[in-house]
Amino acid sequence: MAGTDKSKAGTSTASAGGPAPVVILVRPQLPENIGAAARAMLNCGLTEMRLVAPSCRWPNPKAVALASGADAVLDGATIFPTMQAAIADLGRVYATSARSRGLVKPVVNARAAAADLQALVADGQRCGLVFGPERTGLESDEVALADVLVQIPLNPAFGSLNLGQAVLLVAHEWFHAGLDPQAHPARSLPLGGSRPATKEEMQGLFDQLERELHATNFLRPADKVPAMVRNLRAMLQRADMTEQEVRTWRGVIS
Amino acid sequence: MAGTDKSKAGTSTASAGGPAPVVILVRPQLPENIGAAARAMLNCGLTEMRLVAPSCRWPNPKAVALASGADAVLDGATIFPTMQAAIADLGRVYATSARSRGLVKPVVNARAAAADLQALVADGQRCGLVFGPERTGLESDEVALADVLVQIPLNPAFGSLNLGQAVLLVAHEWFHAGLDPQAHPARSLPLGGSRPATKEEMQGLFDQLERELHATNFLRPADKVPAMVRNLRAMLQRADMTEQEVRTWRGVIS
């Protein structure tokens, strides 16, 4: 049901298993928001969009403008008359909703939802992520159709998001939860063409620096020298120097 | 330097310590993006915005429209001629940049940056989060001014974000990293006015159901009854019923 151009979806980070979750926008009002949602989806490897009774003309050039190139998502979007119809073929449905409307239903934050969805998809389940209309949110009967409610933690004094932003935050949690930490480390220090300096190379730098500082009579009085030397070395060590940088700084000292 | 109306900032989730990081937009082009950034900031408890040589008129009604009420952030925004001036009073500067431009600088993803910043702020350090111009990103000399580069992991085949979206994703990581997990559990099951059913109440439900099923001769043949009963109970148990729901379902069975 999604667009025929799935090439961009090939970068989805979903673990092996079924296709990534479907994003379902219920009665969206503004085509700009549909376009922004499509862009956010493709940014995060989600490609299948379903629209339930959009209240704007469809297709809509304003959606295309805001999609900024995520045309395949819009072109593949399918229209349903009701949320019930839009989720009929899915196994597990998560709906963003600020309120649980008195229903006893599990509530998770977007990060936990993303972890769940990655696990469900890896297990081959077809899942949906439902977003309600801009002004009103989902109706109670629609909230009742969802298995799990998703809440996005935000400043309680200023928590209103537009639809495109809500899709972006939830979609990005999905993407992040699927990242392979080997290929996408949280922290790195790219070294260009160089490599980390060895302890011997650092010692060579320390020795040269201290020889020069003795020669220029900087290191005195004698009883303070050991602490001064330790402090100079500590600073240089914190910099995690590369072999190239050690050579450059030895040149600077000469 | 931030706006005088700091009331909304009172909900910031920053641990005790200094104020939340400053958001610095370098040569932003579109006022709409500045407005969207202000909204995203306040959504996530960030209130201090600095603008480096904005290339649009300032102040700008288009920014106000997109800020959707985050006026205090825009009103408090201060203007600087250069990034160097805008970060002069800060202790630690993180800059979003797709490329490290050959510099040997630590690169972290937005989530790791958020964890760092929460720790630095708790330690009383003044920190900045820098975003470059929409089209070109930061120049090499500006990248060089940052201590750490931040990258937002996205679909490599479709990774372009607009400025407001980039600010939203990074700001939301900041907010999430500061959440108190006691007050904001990742998962919950709000029970309305009820409480979880006790094992004794569940046993009462099982007993009644099985009596009725025996009475209507549903439970047969006799050798299959123990497994049938275990399976019925397993389903009911998975639902994590409340005391109120047990009473309702006992009424249904009667």
Side-chain angles (χ1 to χ4, degrees):
Chain A
M1 310 198 31
T4 47
D5 175 6
K6 286 239 180 180
S7 57
K8 281 176 174 167
T11 58
S12 165
T13 54
S15 325
V22 177
V23 171
I24 298 149
L25 307 184
V26 176
R27 294 188 305 286
Q29 297 170 304
L30 297 177
E32 291 88 343
N33 288 341
I34 303 174
R39 178 181 185 174
M41 286 171 59
L42 193 52
N43 280 150
C44 299
L46 296 173
T47 54
E48 187 172 349
M49 175 185 267
R50 298 181 184 179
L51 302 175
V52 175
S55 47
C56 57
R57 262 191 315 115
W58 192 259
N60 194 303
K62 288 181 183 169
V64 177
L66 268 283
S68 298
D71 299 19
V73 174
L74 294 180
D75 293 347
T78 46
I79 311 283
F80 292 83
T82 63
M83 173 172 158
Q84 195 170 352
I87 65 171
D89 62 327
L90 304 178
R92 195 90 179 147
V93 171
Y94 283 64
T96 56
S97 175
R99 289 150 298 178
S100 54
R101 300 189 183 259
L103 294 167
V104 179
K105 258 185 211 282
V107 175
V108 299
N109 67 25
R111 189 157 302 172
D116 288 358
L117 288 167
Q118 288 283 354
L120 289 162
V121 164
D123 197 38
Q125 287 212 45
R126 286 291 276 148
C127 299
L129 261 169
V130 179
F131 295 83
E134 287 91 335
R135 294 251 171 95
T136 56
L138 296 172
E139 290 177 2
S140 297
D141 284 346
E142 291 163 338
V143 171
L145 291 172
D147 296 301
V148 181
L149 304 183
V150 183
Q151 290 176 355
I152 303 172
L154 290 168
N155 178 351
F158 191 78
S160 106
L161 285 178
N162 85 16
L163 180 57
Q165 292 167 327
V167 171
L168 178 64
L169 287 179
V170 177
H172 191 255
E173 291 289 352
W174 154 264
F175 187 81
H176 208 292
L179 285 175
D180 171 5
Q182 299 291 320
H184 301 272
R187 299 168 187 280
S188 62
L189 184 67
L191 299 183
S194 192
R195 58 163 176 78
T198 64
K199 293 301 175 202
E200 186 179 27
E201 287 158 354
M202 289 302 289
Q203 190 60 51
L205 172 64
F206 298 156
D207 289 345
Q208 183 184 351
L209 176 64
E210 289 150 25
R211 268 196 312 275
E212 295 292 333
L213 293 178
H214 273 297
T216 58
N217 220 18
F218 177 86
L219 287 176
R220 61 193 164 89
D223 63 320
K224 298 266 197 267
V225 168
M228 290 171 79
V229 163
R230 277 196 299 273
N231 290 338
L232 289 169
R233 291 182 181 192
M235 191 285 284
L236 290 169
Q237 233 170 319
R238 283 205 309 279
D240 290 334
M241 294 173 80
T242 65
E243 180 271 356
Q244 171 64 58
E245 287 168 334
V246 168
R247 278 192 282 127
T248 302
W249 282 96
R250 293 192 68 158
V252 168
I253 295 166
S254 305
Chain B
M1 308 190 46
T4 48
D5 176 6
K6 286 238 179 181
S7 57
K8 281 175 175 167
T11 58
S12 165
T13 54
S15 327
V22 177
V23 171
I24 298 149
L25 307 183
V26 176
R27 294 187 306 285
Q29 298 170 304
L30 297 176
E32 290 88 343
N33 287 342
I34 302 174
R39 178 182 185 173
M41 286 171 60
L42 194 53
N43 280 151
C44 300
L46 297 173
T47 54
E48 187 172 350
M49 175 184 267
R50 298 181 184 177
L51 302 175
V52 174
S55 46
C56 57
R57 262 191 314 115
W58 191 259
N60 195 305
K62 287 182 183 167
V64 176
L66 268 282
S68 298
D71 299 18
V73 175
L74 294 180
D75 294 346
T78 46
I79 311 284
F80 293 83
T82 62
M83 174 171 158
Q84 194 169 355
I87 65 171
D89 62 326
L90 304 178
R92 195 89 179 149
V93 172
Y94 283 63
T96 56
S97 176
R99 289 149 298 177
S100 53
R101 300 187 183 261
L103 294 167
V104 179
K105 257 183 211 282
V107 175
V108 299
N109 67 24
R111 190 158 300 174
D116 288 357
L117 289 167
Q118 288 284 354
L120 289 162
V121 164
D123 197 38
Q125 287 212 46
R126 287 291 275 149
C127 299
L129 261 169
V130 179
F131 296 83
E134 288 90 335
R135 294 250 172 97
T136 56
L138 296 171
E139 291 176 2
S140 297
D141 284 344
E142 293 164 337
V143 171
L145 292 172
D147 297 300
V148 181
L149 304 183
V150 183
Q151 290 176 354
I152 303 172
L154 289 168
N155 178 351
F158 191 78
S160 107
L161 284 179
N162 85 15
L163 179 57
Q165 292 167 327
V167 172
L168 178 64
L169 287 179
V170 177
H172 191 254
E173 291 289 353
W174 154 263
F175 186 81
H176 208 293
L179 284 174
D180 171 5
Q182 299 292 320
H184 300 273
R187 300 169 187 278
S188 63
L189 184 66
L191 299 182
S194 193
R195 58 163 175 78
T198 64
K199 292 302 176 200
E200 187 179 26
E201 287 158 354
M202 289 303 289
Q203 190 60 51
L205 172 63
F206 297 157
D207 290 345
Q208 183 184 351
L209 177 63
E210 289 150 25
R211 269 198 311 275
E212 296 291 333
L213 294 178
H214 274 297
T216 57
N217 221 17
F218 177 87
L219 287 177
R220 63 197 163 86
D223 64 321
K224 300 266 195 264
V225 168
M228 291 170 80
V229 164
R230 276 195 300 272
N231 290 337
L232 289 168
R233 290 182 181 192
M235 190 286 282
L236 290 168
Q237 234 169 319
R238 283 204 310 280
D240 289 335
M241 294 172 81
T242 66
E243 180 272 329
Q244 172 64 58
E245 288 169 333
V246 168
R247 278 193 283 127
T248 302
W249 282 96
R250 292 194 67 160
V252 168
I253 295 165
S254 303

